[in-house]
Amino acid sequence: MKTFLMTFLLLATGSTSTMAQVTCTPANEEFRIVTGNGVFTTLEGAADNRNALMDALGPTFNGQRIRYDLAMNFSRVAIDDLFEVTAQAGAELDNALMRLLNNSGVIPDSWRAHQEQVLARSYPVSSTELAAHVQKYQEFLLQGQKTLVVSHSQGNFYANQAKILLAAKQPSAPMESFGIIGVAMPANNVGGVSGPDADKLYITNDRDGVIKKIPTALASNLALTRLADGAMENNIGAIEGHSFTGTYLSPKYNARAVVLDKIKNQLSLLKDPPVVIKSGPITVTLTWSLTNSDIDLHVFEPEGTHVYYQATTGVSGTLDVDNTVAFGPEHYFTDCNQLQVGEYRIGVNYFDDHDDEADTKPARPLVAAVTVSVPNSTRTFNVPLSDDIQSAGDATPKLVAKIIVERTVDPGHPNLNGLLKYQIVPVPL
Amino acid sequence: MKIKVASIALTMLLAACFGGDGPTPPVAVTPAQQPVDEDKTAGLKGVDANTNNIRDDIDRLIATKFSQTPDIKKAVEQKAVALQSFMEVTTKEQALTTGEQIVRASSCVYKVMPGPENQDLRQAISKEIEAATANTRERVIAYINSNEFVGGEYFSQPEEPLCN
């Protein structure tokens, strides 16, 4: 393992040098675990779930670091269902509703019935919500990173659908490097695996009253017992039994060890994918939706260096993949040692529709997906393109985003002062 | 476009919970665990006399329940500020930026209070501060709207420093 902490000088012209700390581990030397949340789970709850898993499983596996991310889904329809039910029952939307949603405070039995009813419904998986998740999974796999999605409840529908989309995506992803572990599984399969073969891929405890109400769900495969006395847990509510942190990862129950064992087993089975794109503090990945075509990624670095297919090495970073055939990827990353403070501008140019080399007809329209990642932040931008203008677009590509790298000045928080901060700023299309 | 998950059938009603006859009784909400002197004033911001970006009633909640150590108090305050900011957003980009602070604040809590022995306290912090932040109809709706902004988004593991 080559994990190392680097301290480096920033190459900002005309400014005094400063020190910053960045952890620079090549992506292919790390696992990626992505948590997916259930219905009614706010970002606060989803972040708590992610951290609970990280706290339980630890920062490494088999000597390799694990990075833990969060793929958020949020079903407004489910919340509106609850609002409607509440209104019908005459309750006020006030402090009570938030407590009822996050299961804090005293929950009336009649409310529990409403909540179980709504939780057991099936809500459509939004393809729009899935797109950014799938884009990231593809990026990780192209970086050579084994990726495991650990999803809870409704999140399993998203994970299952994401796997289907990922397998169909171009450029093709090494699917033997991608896995799913389902917690509180409402579907009848885990990533396309059903029957006895699915047992090692999911955990549903027998006190999970929400999953029990879904007749087509995979059967519960764990008798929930208390660790304190080894007895079956019979005094837990249906919704509490469904809780990711409160039950499945709780140190009070046997489910925790089973969840962690199944995750570790899957991690050990994932295959190392080939490294197609490299990683760094800033990465930009371009893919697009059309075969037989060439879209170009352009990056203008802070001192004006233009990195693109004709000049692939900049002061800060490198265009390490230039695809001229179909779908991408094209990729830019910054080197840990060469990162500059300042503004990076990211753009794309529709270079050529190879179906019409003679330019006798309009180019086929397409959508380019540009994923920009910096420490603590990632954004995916979808850019419609319709006119192939070859090298005429090189000097003025369609700008998608800016990345602003600057030093933190915050006297109120001394531990932040002087460190680098990164900001991704969308550019209106 | 929505993709229907065709493999799942729906279980719709729990008739046994309500019996077969008569109107559905109103839901009685027990206020037993609501904070003392709770701020339910109009608007999202509430009263923040010390201008620390935390409502004063939440400051009192933190002081009485979540100040076991100075580091714990600071971590919980960081969470409270993040949740308040998130609730007040009006654009997707604002939601993403403040959402990243929620993720970071959650990580700070786990850094300050790691291990299974602290699970109950961490859970109480997360749920109580969230519920106290979105404690009126207006605030719940704003908070839900903020969450809707981040549906479909992706949040990377935050880098150090996790705590302010």
Side-chain angles (χ1 to χ4, degrees), chain A residues 49-50 67-68 77 86-87 94 109 125 137 159 170 174 229 286 290 307 320 327-328 337 351 364 372 391 419 423:
Chain A
N49 288 349
R50 182 199 79 92
R67 294 190 68 83
Y68 293 83
V77 173
T86 310
D94 54 12
D109 288 343
V125 171
Y137 302 155
Q170 293 291 340
D229 56 8
L286 162 67
L290 200 62
V307 180
D320 60 335
F327 302 118
N337 290 320
F351 190 88
R364 293 171 294 160
V372 180
S391 58
L419 293 180
Q423 186 183 3

Side-chain angles (χ1 to χ4, degrees), chain B residues 13 21 27 84 93 106-107 109-110 119-120 127 132 134 138 140 142 146 153:
Chain B
L13 294 175
D21 303 316
V27 174
Q84 179 68 35
E93 186 54 38
S106 180
S107 297
V109 166
Y110 274 77
Q119 168 141 344
D120 287 348
K127 292 175 186 294
E138 185 180 10
V140 164
S146 300
E153 295 299 327

Side-chain angles (χ1 to χ4, degrees), chain B residues 8-162:
Chain B
I8 302 301
L10 302 182
T11 301
M12 296 300 292
L13 294 175
L14 301 170
C17 293
F18 297 105
D21 303 316
T24 305
V27 174
V29 176
T30 305
Q33 301 215 351
Q34 293 173 3
V36 175
D37 295 333
E38 197 178 5
D39 178 347
K40 303 184 95 168
T41 54
L44 301 182
K45 288 195 180 295
V47 178
D48 177 17
N50 61 358
T51 61
N52 65 346
N53 298 314
I54 302 172
R55 258 185 17 233
D56 291 345
D57 60 329
I58 297 178
D59 271 329
R60 290 190 292 274
L61 173 65
I62 294 171
T64 55
K65 281 189 81 168
F66 302 124
S67 295
Q68 290 83 348
T69 70
D71 283 346
I72 290 175
K73 181 172 186 281
K74 270 191 68 178
V76 180
E77 287 173 341
Q78 181 176 333
K79 180 185 286 287
V81 170
L83 285 168
Q84 179 68 35
S85 299
F86 183 69
M87 182 175 65
E88 293 181 27
V89 303
T90 55
T91 69
K92 186 181 181 74
E93 186 54 38
Q94 289 171 355
L96 289 169
T97 304
T98 55
E100 285 161 0
Q101 292 306 311
I102 285 181
V103 174
R104 183 167 164 266
S106 180
S107 297
C108 175
V109 166
Y110 274 77
K111 179 176 181 177
V112 170
M113 288 166 274
E117 65 275 18
N118 286 313
Q119 168 141 344
D120 287 348
L121 178 56
R122 291 191 304 252
Q123 285 287 283
I125 289 168
S126 176
K127 292 175 186 294
E128 292 279 340
I129 301 299
E130 183 181 47
T133 301
N135 70 335
T136 65
R137 179 189 178 95
E138 185 180 10
R139 290 168 187 159
V140 164
I141 290 173
Y143 187 63
I144 295 300
N145 290 341
S146 300
N147 275 279
E148 192 175 10
F149 274 133
V150 299
E153 295 299 327
Y154 193 92
F155 293 88
S156 308
Q157 176 174 338
E159 302 280 350
E160 289 283 0
L162 301 174

Side-chain angles (χ1 to χ4, degrees), chain A residues 32 67 69 132 135-137 139-140 143 145 277-286 297 331-334 339 344 346 370-381 401-405 422-425, chain B residues 100 154-157 159:
Chain A
R32 182 81 58 164
R67 294 190 68 83
D69 292 348
Q135 187 80 358
K136 290 300 292 186
Y137 302 155
E139 184 181 68
F140 298 145
Q143 286 178 344
Q145 193 166 55
I277 56 179
K278 292 185 180 171
S279 56
I282 295 175
T283 65
V284 185
T285 304
L286 162 67
L297 177 63
H331 184 258
Y332 168 88
F333 76 103
T334 56
L339 185 69
Y344 296 72
I346 314 299
V370 181
T371 298
V372 180
S373 298
V374 299
N376 299 325
S377 195
T378 184
R379 301 281 189 273
T380 295
F381 303 95
K402 301 179 198 176
I403 302 168
I404 300 171
V405 183
Y422 304 76
Q423 186 183 3
I424 302 172
V425 180
Chain B
E100 285 161 0
Y154 193 92
F155 293 88
S156 308
Q157 176 174 338
E159 302 280 350

